[in-house]
Amino acid sequence: MAAVKEAVLGPLVGAVDQGTSSTRFLVFNSKTAELLSHHQVEIKQEFPREGWVEQDPKEILQSVYECIEKTCEKLRELNIDISYIKAIGVSNQRETTVVWDKLTGEPLYNALVWLDLRTQPTVDCLRRRIPGNNNFVKSKTGLPISTYFSAVKLRWLLDHVRNVRKAVQEGRALFGTIDSWLIWSLTGGAKGGVHCTDVTNASRTMLFNIHSLEWDKELCDFFGVPMAILPNVRSCSEIYGLMKAGALEGVPISGCLGDQSAALVGQMCFRDGQAKNTYGTGCFLLCNTGHKCVFSDHGLLTTVAYKLGRDKPVYYALEGSVAIAGAVIRWLRDNLGIISTSEEIERLAKEVGTSYGCYFVPAFSGLYAPYWEPSARGIICGLTQFTNKCHIAFAALEAVCFQTREILEAMNRDCGIPLSHLQVDGGMTSNKILMQLQADILYIPVVKPSMPETTALGAAMAAGAAEGVGVWSLEPEDLSAVTMERFEPQINADESEIRYSTWKKAVMKSIGWATTRPFDRGDPSIFCSLPLGFFIVSSMVMLIGARYI
C-alpha cells in the first residue's frame, strides 16, 4: 500500500459532478489527471403532471455530501491521505432552477429541471411581445425563448408559488441554478454562504448579457425578474469560498462550470474549431469559437464556453442541444420495463444488429436543436408484427446518433469547416454498439478518451488552476496526453444516407402533436398583457388573479 501512496503523493483535486440523473464526487491527481476514486448516487426525478419535471434540492445537496464522504472513505482504504485534496470544482446540470430562503436555507419549491415544459404558454406569450425584426433577447443572450432556460422557470415560480413571491417581497429569496445552490450551501448556507454563479451557468438563464458578461436590466425587466435575487457572476476558475462541513471542511471551492462547458475543458478543446459531444441525459455538441460570438443560422445556440480566471479572456461556443439521449434508456427501463438495467440495452441491440425498419423519435420534451419545436412528441414508427423489444432498443440507440448528426450538420454549415472526427464523452460512451452506430451514421470517425469522466475532469482542472490554489497547470505543454479509442465507419455512405433520410421523415411526423393548452395554474395572458415596468420587486401585485400553490 505504501507504493500506492507514493504514486499519488502530491496535490489532488476533487470534483462534484451533479447531473440530471445522478451526483458523483471524483478525485484526480493534479499532475497526471489520473482518476483515483469516486462515488455515485442516483437522483430521483418527479413528474407531478404531464410535462412537469422536478427534483428535490435538499436531496441533491445531501447526495453531494454523501458522495464526498464515501469517496473520502474509499481513498482512506487505498491509504491515500485526504489532506492532499487541495481544491474542489463543481460541475452541474444547467438551467435547472432553484429558489430558496436565505434566512432558513430551505428551498421554497422543488427545483424545476431543464427538461420541464410547464412554461410553454408563458413562452408563447413572451414571443409575441418581441418585434419580429428586433429579437433583443437572442442578440444579448445567444438563446431562443424556450422552456429550456431558467428565466421562464423563475417567472413561473414568481407567478404561481405564494412562498416564492412572499420571500421575494420580503427580501429573503435567492435564485440560482444548481451550482449556485450547492456553492451557497457548501460554503455555509444561511450562516454566510457565498451566493455566486459562473459565466457559463449565467449564460443559460436568458438574463445574462454574453457580451458585457453581466446581468442585463432590460432582460430582467422583460421577464419580470428582480435583480436583487440573482447571484454574483464570477469566472470559472477562482476561489469562491471554503467548505464549511464534512470530511473536506476548509478546502476551497475554486472551479465552477456548467456540465457541457466542463466537458469541453476536460476534452481540452482550447482552440477555435475544436468540438466535443457529451452523451448524458441529453446530448450536447459544443464547438469552441474562440473570443468571438458566432450566431447560428441553423438552430444552434451561442453560449459562453469558459473563462478560466478573473483576469483571463472569455471563450465562446456554438452548441447543439438534444433533450433526450440517455433519458430514453431510462424511459425504456422505468416506464416500459423493456430492460432492467441501463447496461442491458447494449445486449438487446447486439442480438439483432438492426432496427428492422423501426425508427424512434424520443421527443418527450419537444425537439431542441436544430428545430426548437415544442409541439413535437415522441413516436415509434415502422413497426411490423416482426418487431420486438430488441429492435426498439436498437432504434433507441440509433435515435441518439441521428439527433447528433442533425446538430453536427448544422454546426458544419455555421462554421464552414466540417469536423473530420467527433470527440465524445459521457456515460453512454461505454456502449460500444452506440459508438459504432455513431461513426456509421455520421460517416466520420468517433474518438473516445480512455477516461470518459471529462466533465468532472474539466471542473477539477478549473479548480486546481485557480489563483491561490495553483496545483494544476493549463499550459498546453503540461497537459497530460489522453489515450483514445477510435471507431471508424463500417457501412457505406449510401446506406448511412438512406437511414438518415428515413429518420428525417419520422421527425416530420413527430411535429405538431402537442398544442398549447390553457394554463392550468393561472392565465398567462395576464402576464403577457402587463407592461415591462410592472415587474418591480417591491410591487405587491405580481400577476393579479393568479391562482396560488
Side-chain angles (χ1 to χ4, degrees), residues 232-452:
N232 293 318
V233 182
R234 312 275 284 271
S235 77
C236 306
S237 179
E238 58 180 273
I239 295 175
Y240 313 114
L242 306 180
M243 288 283 292
K244 288 297 170 67
L248 298 181
E249 184 175 356
V251 175
I253 300 174
S254 54
C256 180
L257 302 101
D259 50 9
Q260 304 313 318
S261 288
L264 194 75
V265 171
Q267 286 266 34
M268 300 176 199
C269 295
F270 292 127
R271 296 196 306 275
D272 293 17
Q274 288 188 305
K276 67 88 206 172
N277 197 35
T278 298
Y279 300 76
T281 297
C283 198
F284 303 90
L285 178 57
L286 267 69
C287 180
N288 188 330
T289 62
H291 303 307
K292 59 186 182 297
C293 285
V294 175
F295 284 86
S296 173
D297 295 320
H298 302 96
L300 303 181
L301 308 177
T302 304
T303 197
V304 175
Y306 53 82
K307 185 178 189 293
L308 295 173
R310 246 181 281 195
D311 302 321
K312 296 295 173 68
V314 64
Y315 283 76
Y316 295 94
L318 273 176
E319 175 174 338
S321 309
V322 169
I324 303 295
V328 76
I329 313 304
R330 191 166 178 166
W331 181 81
L332 290 175
R333 184 193 72 185
D334 297 345
N335 292 43
L336 293 195
I338 284 178
I339 52 177
S340 54
T341 66
S342 298
E343 293 73 26
E344 194 179 335
I345 194 167
E346 185 171 9
R347 180 183 62 77
L348 290 184
K350 191 173 183 179
E351 272 186 40
V352 287
T354 175
S355 67
Y356 201 75
C358 171
Y359 286 83
F360 191 163
V361 183
F364 301 153
S365 299
L367 290 169
Y368 285 9
Y371 301 98
W372 298 105
E373 183 48 74
S375 72
R377 287 297 178 270
I379 63 169
I380 302 174
C381 56
L383 300 175
T384 70
Q385 285 181 310
F386 183 73
T387 307
N388 62 34
K389 66 179 182 180
C390 296
H391 299 119
I392 292 173
F394 194 96
L397 295 181
E398 273 194 317
V400 175
C401 301
F402 287 132
Q403 290 178 107
T404 297
R405 175 160 172 178
E406 288 192 299
I407 57 176
L408 183 65
E409 287 189 346
M411 197 160 281
N412 285 342
R413 288 195 293 270
D414 279 324
C415 295
I417 304 172
L419 290 180
S420 59
H421 65 277
L422 182 65
Q423 290 177 233
V424 300
D425 58 78
M428 292 185 78
T429 60
S430 62
N431 187 321
K432 291 186 182 296
I433 297 282
L434 176 70
M435 292 294 94
Q436 187 56 56
L437 272 173
Q438 189 67 87
D440 290 345
I441 288 166
L442 294 180
Y443 212 67
I444 59 173
V446 167
V447 180
K448 171 193 157 189
S450 56
M451 199 288 292

